[in-house]
Coordinates of all heavy atoms in Angstrom, one line a residue:
V22 N 0.8 -1.2 0.0 CA 0.0 0.0 0.0 C 0.9 1.2 0.0 O 0.7 2.2 -0.8 CB -0.9 0.0 1.2 CG1 -1.7 1.3 1.3 CG2 -1.9 -1.2 1.2
A23 N 1.9 1.3 0.9 CA 2.8 2.4 1.0 C 3.6 2.6 -0.3 O 3.9 3.7 -0.7 CB 3.7 2.3 2.2
T24 N 4.0 1.4 -0.9 CA 4.8 1.5 -2.1 C 3.9 2.1 -3.2 O 4.4 2.9 -4.1 CB 5.2 0.1 -2.5 OG1 6.1 -0.4 -1.5 CG2 6.0 0.1 -3.8
A25 N 2.7 1.7 -3.3 CA 1.8 2.3 -4.3 C 1.7 3.8 -4.1 O 1.7 4.6 -5.1 CB 0.4 1.7 -4.2
C26 N 1.6 4.2 -2.9 CA 1.5 5.7 -2.6 C 2.9 6.4 -3.0 O 2.9 7.5 -3.4 CB 1.2 5.9 -1.2 SG -0.5 5.4 -0.7
S27 N 4.0 5.6 -2.8 CA 5.3 6.2 -3.1 C 5.4 6.4 -4.6 O 6.0 7.4 -5.1 CB 6.4 5.3 -2.6 OG 6.4 5.1 -1.2
I28 N 4.9 5.5 -5.4 CA 4.9 5.6 -6.9 C 4.1 6.9 -7.3 O 4.6 7.7 -8.1 CB 4.3 4.4 -7.5 CG1 5.2 3.2 -7.2 CG2 4.2 4.6 -9.0 CD1 4.6 1.9 -7.7
V29 N 3.0 7.1 -6.6 CA 2.2 8.3 -6.9 C 3.0 9.6 -6.5 O 3.0 10.6 -7.2 CB 0.8 8.3 -6.2 CG1 0.1 9.6 -6.4 CG2 0.0 7.1 -6.6
S30 N 3.7 9.5 -5.4 CA 4.5 10.6 -5.0 C 5.5 11.0 -6.0 O 5.8 12.2 -6.3 CB 5.2 10.2 -3.7 OG 6.2 11.2 -3.3
G31 N 6.2 10.0 -6.6 CA 7.1 10.3 -7.7 C 6.5 10.9 -8.9 O 7.1 11.8 -9.6
A32 N 5.3 10.4 -9.2 CA 4.6 10.9 -10.4 C 4.2 12.4 -10.3 O 4.1 13.1 -11.3 CB 3.3 10.0 -10.7
V33 N 3.9 12.8 -9.0 CA 3.4 14.2 -8.8 C 4.4 15.1 -8.2 O 4.1 16.1 -7.6 CB 2.1 14.2 -8.0 CG1 1.0 13.4 -8.7 CG2 2.3 13.6 -6.6
A34 N 5.7 14.6 -8.2 CA 6.8 15.4 -7.5 C 6.9 16.8 -8.2 O 6.9 16.9 -9.4 CB 8.1 14.7 -7.7
E35 N 6.9 17.8 -7.4 CA 6.9 19.2 -7.8 C 5.7 19.6 -8.6 O 5.6 20.7 -9.2 CB 8.2 19.5 -8.7 CG 9.5 19.3 -8.0 CD 10.7 19.8 -8.8 OE1 10.7 19.5 -10.0 OE2 11.6 20.4 -8.2
R36 N 4.6 18.8 -8.6 CA 3.4 19.1 -9.2 C 2.2 19.2 -8.3 O 1.1 19.5 -8.7 CB 3.1 18.1 -10.4 CG 4.2 18.1 -11.5 CD 3.9 17.0 -12.4 NE 4.9 17.0 -13.5 CZ 6.1 16.3 -13.5 NH1 6.4 15.7 -12.4 NH2 6.9 16.4 -14.5
M37 N 2.4 18.8 -7.1 CA 1.2 18.7 -6.1 C 1.7 19.1 -4.7 O 2.8 18.6 -4.3 CB 0.7 17.2 -6.1 CG -0.6 17.1 -5.4 SD -1.3 15.4 -5.6 CE -2.9 15.6 -4.9
N38 N 0.9 19.9 -4.1 CA 1.3 20.3 -2.7 C 1.2 19.2 -1.7 O 0.6 18.2 -2.0 CB 0.4 21.5 -2.3 CG 0.7 22.8 -3.1 OD1 1.8 23.0 -3.6 ND2 -0.3 23.6 -3.3
Q39 N 1.8 19.4 -0.6 CA 2.0 18.4 0.4 C 0.6 17.9 1.0 O 0.4 16.7 1.0 CB 2.9 18.8 1.5 CG 3.1 17.8 2.6 CD 4.2 18.3 3.6 OE1 5.3 18.5 3.2 NE2 3.9 18.4 4.8
W40 N -0.2 18.8 1.4 CA -1.4 18.4 2.1 C -2.5 17.8 1.2 O -3.1 16.8 1.5 CB -2.0 19.6 2.9 CG -1.2 19.9 4.1 CD1 -0.4 21.1 4.2 CD2 -0.9 19.2 5.2 NE1 0.3 21.1 5.4 CE2 0.0 19.9 6.0 CE3 -1.4 18.0 5.7 CZ2 0.4 19.5 7.3 CZ3 -1.0 17.5 6.9 CH2 -0.1 18.2 7.7
P41 N -2.7 18.3 0.0 CA -3.5 17.6 -1.0 C -3.0 16.2 -1.3 O -3.8 15.2 -1.5 CB -3.6 18.5 -2.2 CG -3.3 19.8 -1.7 CD -2.3 19.6 -0.5
F42 N -1.7 16.0 -1.3 CA -1.1 14.7 -1.6 C -1.4 13.7 -0.4 O -1.7 12.6 -0.6 CB 0.4 14.8 -1.8 CG 1.1 13.5 -1.9 CD1 0.9 12.7 -3.0 CD2 1.9 13.0 -0.8 CE1 1.5 11.4 -3.1 CE2 2.5 11.8 -0.9 CZ 2.3 11.0 -2.0
F43 N -1.3 14.2 0.8 CA -1.6 13.4 1.9 C -3.1 13.0 1.9 O -3.4 11.8 2.4 CB -1.2 14.1 3.2 CG 0.2 14.2 3.5 CD1 0.8 15.1 4.4 CD2 1.1 13.2 3.0 CE1 2.1 15.2 4.6 CE2 2.5 13.3 3.2 CZ 3.0 14.3 4.1
A44 N -3.9 13.9 1.5 CA -5.4 13.5 1.4 C -5.5 12.4 0.3 O -6.4 11.5 0.5 CB -6.2 14.7 1.0
L45 N -4.8 12.5 -0.7 CA -4.8 11.4 -1.8 C -4.3 10.1 -1.2 O -4.9 9.0 -1.5 CB -4.0 11.8 -3.0 CG -3.9 10.8 -4.1 CD1 -5.3 10.6 -4.7 CD2 -3.0 11.4 -5.2
V46 N -3.3 10.1 -0.4 CA -2.8 8.9 0.3 C -3.8 8.3 1.1 O -4.0 7.0 1.1 CB -1.5 9.2 1.1 CG1 -1.1 8.0 1.9 CG2 -0.4 9.7 0.2
V47 N -4.6 9.1 1.9 CA -5.7 8.5 2.7 C -6.7 7.8 1.8 O -7.1 6.7 2.1 CB -6.4 9.7 3.4 CG1 -7.7 9.2 4.1 CG2 -5.5 10.3 4.5
F48 N -7.0 8.4 0.7 CA -8.0 7.8 -0.2 C -7.5 6.5 -0.8 O -8.2 5.5 -1.0 CB -8.4 8.8 -1.4 CG -9.4 8.3 -2.3 CD1 -10.7 8.0 -1.8 CD2 -9.1 8.1 -3.6 CE1 -11.7 7.6 -2.7 CE2 -10.1 7.6 -4.5 CZ -11.4 7.4 -4.0
I49 N -6.2 6.5 -1.2 CA -5.6 5.3 -1.8 C -5.5 4.1 -0.8 O -5.9 3.0 -1.1 CB -4.2 5.6 -2.3 CG1 -4.3 6.5 -3.5 CG2 -3.5 4.3 -2.8 CD1 -2.9 7.0 -4.0
A50 N -5.0 4.4 0.4 CA -4.8 3.4 1.4 C -6.1 2.9 2.0 O -6.2 1.7 2.4 CB -3.9 3.9 2.5
A51 N -7.1 3.7 2.1 CA -8.4 3.3 2.7 C -9.4 2.8 1.8 O -10.4 2.1 2.2 CB -9.0 4.5 3.5
F52 N -9.3 3.2 0.5 CA -10.3 2.8 -0.5 C -9.8 2.1 -1.7 O -10.2 0.9 -2.0 CB -11.2 4.0 -0.9 CG -12.3 3.7 -1.8 CD1 -13.5 3.1 -1.2 CD2 -12.3 3.9 -3.1 CE1 -14.6 2.8 -2.1 CE2 -13.3 3.6 -4.0 CZ -14.5 3.1 -3.4
I53 N -9.0 2.7 -2.5 CA -8.6 2.2 -3.8 C -7.9 0.9 -3.7 O -8.3 -0.1 -4.3 CB -7.6 3.2 -4.5 CG1 -8.4 4.5 -4.8 CG2 -7.1 2.6 -5.8 CD1 -7.6 5.5 -5.6
Y54 N -6.8 0.8 -2.9 CA -6.1 -0.5 -2.8 C -6.9 -1.6 -2.1 O -6.9 -2.7 -2.6 CB -4.8 -0.3 -2.0 CG -3.8 -1.4 -2.0 CD1 -2.8 -1.6 -2.9 CD2 -4.0 -2.5 -1.0 CE1 -2.0 -2.6 -2.9 CE2 -3.1 -3.6 -1.1 CZ -2.1 -3.6 -2.0 OH -1.3 -4.7 -2.0
P55 N -7.6 -1.3 -1.0 CA -8.4 -2.4 -0.5 C -9.5 -2.9 -1.4 O -9.8 -4.2 -1.5 CB -9.1 -1.8 0.8 CG -8.1 -0.7 1.1 CD -7.6 -0.2 -0.2
V56 N -10.2 -2.1 -2.1 CA -11.2 -2.5 -3.0 C -10.7 -3.4 -4.2 O -11.2 -4.4 -4.4 CB -12.0 -1.3 -3.6 CG1 -13.0 -1.7 -4.7 CG2 -12.8 -0.6 -2.4
Q57 N -9.6 -2.9 -4.8 CA -9.1 -3.7 -5.9 C -8.5 -5.0 -5.4 O -8.5 -6.0 -6.1 CB -8.1 -2.9 -6.8 CG -6.8 -2.5 -6.1 CD -5.7 -3.5 -6.1 OE1 -5.7 -4.3 -7.0 NE2 -4.9 -3.5 -5.1
G58 N -7.9 -5.0 -4.2 CA -7.4 -6.2 -3.6 C -8.5 -7.2 -3.3 O -8.3 -8.4 -3.4
Y59 N -9.6 -6.6 -2.8 CA -10.8 -7.5 -2.5 C -11.3 -8.2 -3.7 O -11.8 -9.3 -3.6 CB -11.8 -6.6 -1.8 CG -13.2 -7.2 -1.9 CD1 -13.6 -8.3 -1.2 CD2 -14.2 -6.6 -2.8 CE1 -14.9 -8.8 -1.4 CE2 -15.4 -7.1 -2.9 CZ -15.8 -8.2 -2.2 OH -17.1 -8.7 -2.3
W60 N -11.3 -7.5 -4.9 CA -11.9 -8.1 -6.1 C -11.3 -9.4 -6.4 O -11.9 -10.3 -6.9 CB -11.7 -7.2 -7.2 CG -12.6 -5.9 -7.2 CD1 -13.7 -5.7 -6.4 CD2 -12.4 -4.7 -8.0 NE1 -14.2 -4.5 -6.7 CE2 -13.4 -3.9 -7.6 CE3 -11.5 -4.3 -8.9 CZ2 -13.6 -2.6 -8.2 CZ3 -11.6 -3.1 -9.5 CH2 -12.7 -2.2 -9.1
N61 N -10.0 -9.6 -6.1 CA -9.3 -10.8 -6.4 C -8.9 -11.6 -5.2 O -9.3 -12.7 -4.9 CB -8.1 -10.6 -7.3 CG -7.6 -11.8 -8.0 OD1 -7.6 -12.9 -7.4 ND2 -7.1 -11.7 -9.2
W62 N -8.0 -11.0 -4.4 CA -7.4 -11.7 -3.2 C -8.4 -11.9 -2.1 O -8.3 -12.9 -1.3 CB -6.2 -11.0 -2.7 CG -5.1 -10.8 -3.7 CD1 -4.8 -11.7 -4.7 CD2 -4.3 -9.6 -3.9 NE1 -3.8 -11.1 -5.4 CE2 -3.5 -9.9 -5.0 CE3 -4.2 -8.4 -3.2 CZ2 -2.5 -9.0 -5.4 CZ3 -3.3 -7.5 -3.7 CH2 -2.5 -7.8 -4.8
G63 N -9.4 -11.0 -2.0 CA -10.4 -11.1 -0.9 C -11.6 -11.8 -1.2 O -12.6 -11.8 -0.4
G64 N -11.7 -12.4 -2.4 CA -12.9 -13.2 -2.7 C -13.9 -12.5 -3.5 O -15.1 -12.9 -3.4
G65 N -13.6 -11.4 -4.1 CA -14.6 -10.6 -4.8 C -15.0 -11.2 -6.2 O -14.8 -12.4 -6.4
F66 N -15.6 -10.4 -7.0 CA -16.2 -10.9 -8.2 C -15.2 -11.5 -9.2 O -15.5 -12.4 -9.9 CB -17.1 -9.8 -8.9 CG -16.3 -8.8 -9.6 CD1 -16.1 -8.8 -11.0 CD2 -15.8 -7.7 -8.9 CE1 -15.4 -7.8 -11.6 CE2 -15.1 -6.7 -9.6 CZ -14.9 -6.7 -10.9
L67 N -14.0 -10.9 -9.2 CA -12.9 -11.5 -10.1 C -12.5 -12.8 -9.7 O -12.3 -13.8 -10.5 CB -11.7 -10.5 -10.2 CG -11.9 -9.2 -10.8 CD1 -10.6 -8.4 -10.8 CD2 -12.4 -9.3 -12.3

């Protein structure tokens, strides 16, 4: 999860302010990664 957020950090380096980026990290760690992980590893529809 943290590695995925680190990749995003590199993609938006010098292009995104710190606090909006931290808000994006909250969304990735709490929603995006768990949902896509659930689809396959957690027994979801995939």
Side-chain angles (χ1 to χ4, degrees):
V22 175
T24 301
C26 297
S27 297
I28 295 172
V29 177
S30 172
V33 299
E35 295 188 320
R36 297 175 178 86
M37 192 173 188
N38 291 330
Q39 181 171 301
W40 291 110
F42 172 73
F43 284 157
L45 178 61
V46 171
V47 170
F48 184 64
I49 293 173
F52 183 77
I53 294 180
Y54 189 93
V56 171
Q57 65 85 27
Y59 156 72
W60 288 345
N61 197 324
W62 303 322
F66 74 98
L67 292 181

